[in-house]
Amino acid sequence: MDWKNALSAATALTLLTTTGAFAETITIATVNNGDMIRMQGLTDDFTAKTGHNVEWVTLEENVLRQRVTQDIAAKGGQFDIMTIGMYETPIWAANEWLVSLDDLPADYDKDDILPAMRAGLSHNGSLFAAPFYGESSMIMYRTDLMEKAGLEMPEAPTWSDVAAAAKAMTDKDNEIYGVCLRGKAGWGENMAFITTVANSFGARWFDENWKPQLDTPAWKEAVSFYNDLLTNYGPPGASTNGFNENLALFQQGKCGMWIDATVAASFVTNPDDSTVADKVGFALAPNKEGVEKRANWLWAWALAIPAGTQKQAAAKEFINWATSKDYLALVAEKEGWANVPPGSRTSLYENPEYAKVPFAKMTLDSINAANPDSPTVEPVPYVGIQYVAIPEWAGIGTSAGQEFSAMVAGQQTPDEALAKAQALVTEEMEAAGY
């Protein structure tokens, strides 16, 4: 063995001895958004510290949900770590499909996780997924276009404020659209947004006896308002736009407003990617006059370990690395505090450097304003703001999302979309025994 090979072998042996385990290659399924892609670029730090290698399977949001759901339900074993959210975590944990994370090292400091995030990612008091980032939703708007229109965005606007601003900022001849909203079909795409709109108009998915409520006046008013906004002031092809598509439009200067995840704030204000980085303001998600609920949600993209993995120890090491305080400091060092994954840890919002980030307070205020135990004005039998935390939701949310996407595409009216959604939800719930 020559000296170079001997040195490599000694280095590898040192790594294995230091980490107390043989080096593994773990496979992680994740979503194709900016924070996750940034994490992939920093994975060499994890490998250097542990000796483990990582293979990534990066998928569009709807495809990710389908793939990981199919794999974990069938015990397929394709992935050692899955990126999932608050909807799946308690349901899958109850099915014993996930590995508890209660034995992460003491210096991981689970108590530092924001209470709303920890509660949503736990089952029977045990943590089953660790938040990579947490989010609510809010309005991101062009301050220059608002000023040009002679308007001022309130910190806590109503839907009437949004409609007036959208109308005033729209300039279709110059490809500027007053508002960009999710229209792409999916339970976590358009239905996440539409459900929060419905909440803010006083609507609910089910009454206390699990009877579907999509045939009520409140749903009709909410969906008609949403459809009118996109039809009159939205971009072409809105029925195919989800988070990533609207992000690109906003960064290109084509959206006057975008109501979506608070996590997008770092991307629309990043001068390397956004042409309007220095012209962005933030406001709470809207409510309808006289209705106390706002159209903001609560979500975390989190890392969880499927029970079938053969590499549980290495997977826990990765989660300990990727969702730790040290990882936040690493991103801050490499990319600046504005690009740190938000909404996961209390200590981040106590950090004076992070407090200087222009959207930090609005993000935390939006998260704290969200209450998944009381998502609507009237009583409901379910938990969840932009989703209903029952196993059937993925199916009914996906099917209803297709109807509302077809509505935005001009293929049917709000009344027709609601009637079809009501019928399919009723059929699904009756079949499930509700």
Side-chain angles (χ1 to χ4, degrees), residues 108 130-132 303 318-325 327 344-345:
Y108 179 76
F132 182 68
L303 303 180
F318 184 86
I319 289 176
N320 183 43
W321 172 81
T323 64
S324 66
K325 297 175 188 177
Y327 179 82
S344 62
R345 288 185 170 272

Side-chain angles (χ1 to χ4, degrees), residues 370-385:
N371 182 1
D373 293 322
S374 178
T376 63
V377 174
E378 297 184 78
V380 292
Y382 56 86
V383 172
I385 300 178

Side-chain angles (χ1 to χ4, degrees), residues 54-227:
V54 179
E55 291 184 354
W56 294 93
V57 178
T58 307
L59 303 166
E60 187 269 332
E61 186 171 318
N62 286 340
V63 178
L64 172 74
R65 291 189 165 111
Q66 183 180 37
R67 284 277 300 276
V68 299
T69 301
Q70 289 174 342
D71 186 69
I72 201 163
K75 299 185 170 114
Q78 293 183 54
F79 309 114
D80 302 300
I81 294 175
M82 295 175 165
T83 304
I84 62 175
M86 288 183 168
Y87 165 64
E88 300 97 338
T89 300
I91 295 173
W92 291 4
N95 289 341
E96 299 183 351
W97 290 352
L98 300 176
V99 174
S100 170
L101 301 179
D102 281 349
D103 60 349
L104 288 174
D107 61 2
Y108 179 76
D109 194 5
K110 289 200 299 280
D111 291 340
D112 185 49
I113 297 173
L114 286 171
M117 299 301 158
R118 186 170 179 180
L121 298 171
S122 296
H123 174 67
N124 287 341
S126 291
L127 189 71
F128 280 90
F132 182 68
Y133 67 75
E135 65 182 34
S136 184
S137 52
M138 65 182 177
I139 302 175
M140 293 159 277
Y141 65 92
R142 289 274 301 278
T143 55
D144 58 328
L145 295 181
M146 287 289 286
E147 183 178 351
K148 182 180 177 182
L151 298 174
E152 187 172 326
M153 179 69 77
E155 186 173 292
T158 65
W159 281 116
S160 295
D161 294 323
V162 168
K167 180 179 180 180
M169 288 191 286
T170 297
D171 182 2
K172 293 184 179 180
D173 290 340
N174 289 305
E175 294 187 296
I176 296 175
Y177 306 96
V179 66
C180 293
L181 306 171
R182 296 189 188 196
K184 179 189 286 186
W187 70 258
E189 280 281 11
N190 66 340
M191 289 318 302
F193 183 77
I194 291 171
T195 299
T196 64
V197 177
N199 293 341
S200 70
F201 274 75
R204 55 183 174 170
W205 271 91
F206 303 100
D207 68 13
E208 291 176 281
N209 296 313
W210 289 103
K211 181 181 178 182
Q213 298 291 293
L214 287 90
D215 57 358
T216 57
W219 263 101
K220 179 176 180 177
E221 186 180 8
V223 169
S224 298
F225 181 84
Y226 158 81
N227 190 56

